[in-house]
Amino acid sequence: VRHDHGVSFTVAEERRLTAACRASRSPSLLPAFVVAMQTGLRYSELRLLRWSQIDFLKAHVTVGQSKTAAGTGRVVPLNPRALTELQRWATRVPDRQQSHYVFPAGQIGQGGVYARNPNQPIGSWKTAWATAKRAADVTARFHDIRHTACTRMLEGGAPLSVVATILGWSAATTAIMVKRYGHIGDTARRTAVAVLDTSDVKLD
């Protein structure tokens, strides 16, 4: 578990990163970035994702092997933006099979043609991500995408227990995150106790 707080992107930074990812020579960087932002999936969970794990009808992803027991096999909902991006990416690989990797290994060959090997996952987005960050003038790790997703869900009022389930945190990590993100949950806590206010009820 990392104990540094990481970076949470502003909306402006997210827009610049999205544009930079769209302009990347790596075809899969944009869908990977968008899906990571909209689901909070870990880097390895995203890299090793197979088409069989995506249910387009029910709009969710079933995570495979994860860093934690709590993370393995969890079901993560796909919001409209994530679903649309995955559908767009799927149209680029009409010959895909359920066992194929969503983000396959590949390289740009002669004539700029992108040759892919769907039976092997992409090695990494390290170089493409570094280039996109420079273009967007944003200093961050890929892991900060997950940090941003977490922060936004909590700021939106999602209970930390629900966020922990979506992100696949272990019990130990959840305890650490309670301390780290506790200040963000203040609004949600105030909303919760407001339900208990019976001041408009006459008490004898």
Side-chain angles (χ1 to χ4, degrees):
V1 176
R2 297 186 66 102
H3 293 278
D4 53 322
H5 285 217
V7 175
S8 181
F9 305 138
T10 64
V11 173
E13 287 174 331
E14 180 190 357
R15 286 173 178 161
R16 297 203 305 273
L17 282 167
T18 300
C21 289
R22 183 175 287 112
S24 173
R25 292 185 68 199
S26 173
S28 65
L29 185 60
L30 177 61
F33 175 73
V34 172
V35 173
M37 280 290 299
Q38 303 304 313
T39 63
L41 289 182
R42 292 182 175 91
Y43 186 93
S44 60
E45 295 169 349
L46 194 65
R47 191 177 72 82
L48 300 177
L49 193 64
R50 296 176 188 265
W51 288 110
S52 60
Q53 294 169 245
I54 300 174
D55 190 322
F56 285 104
L57 292 179
K58 295 182 179 178
H60 68 228
V61 167
T62 301
V63 176
Q65 185 64 38
S66 184
K67 181 180 178 181
T68 66
T72 301
R74 74 186 188 280
V75 176
V76 180
L78 294 171
N79 63 23
R81 187 174 179 192
L83 186 62
T84 297
E85 188 61 34
L86 282 171
Q87 289 171 330
R88 185 193 66 80
W89 180 242
T91 62
R92 298 187 59 172
V93 280
D95 59 340
R96 67 188 182 281
Q97 297 178 17
Q98 290 290 82
S99 62
H100 288 171
Y101 286 98
V102 176
F103 303 113
Q107 58 184 5
I108 299 175
Q110 292 183 337
V113 176
Y114 186 77
R116 56 189 171 82
N117 179 356
N119 296 307
Q120 291 290 331
I122 188 170
S124 82
W125 287 286
K126 184 177 180 180
T127 300
W129 175 243
T131 301
K133 285 192 300 180
R134 284 196 299 272
D137 191 27
V138 175
T139 302
R141 303 164 300 168
F142 199 93
H143 184 77
D144 289 321
I145 302 173
R146 180 173 162 88
H147 175 78
T148 301
C150 172
T151 300
R152 290 183 180 178
M153 283 189 284
L154 290 172
E155 287 179 339
L160 196 137
S161 58
V162 173
V163 174
T165 300
I166 292 172
L167 297 184
W169 288 341
S170 65
T173 297
T174 300
I176 292 172
M177 297 306 178
V178 167
K179 296 179 180 179
R180 181 179 300 179
Y181 294 104
H183 65 289
I184 297 178
D186 183 62
T187 300
R189 289 197 298 272
R190 289 184 180 280
T191 299
V193 296
V195 176
L196 307 176
D197 188 350
T198 56
S199 57
D200 59 335
V201 177
K202 184 176 181 180
L203 300 176
D204 294 328

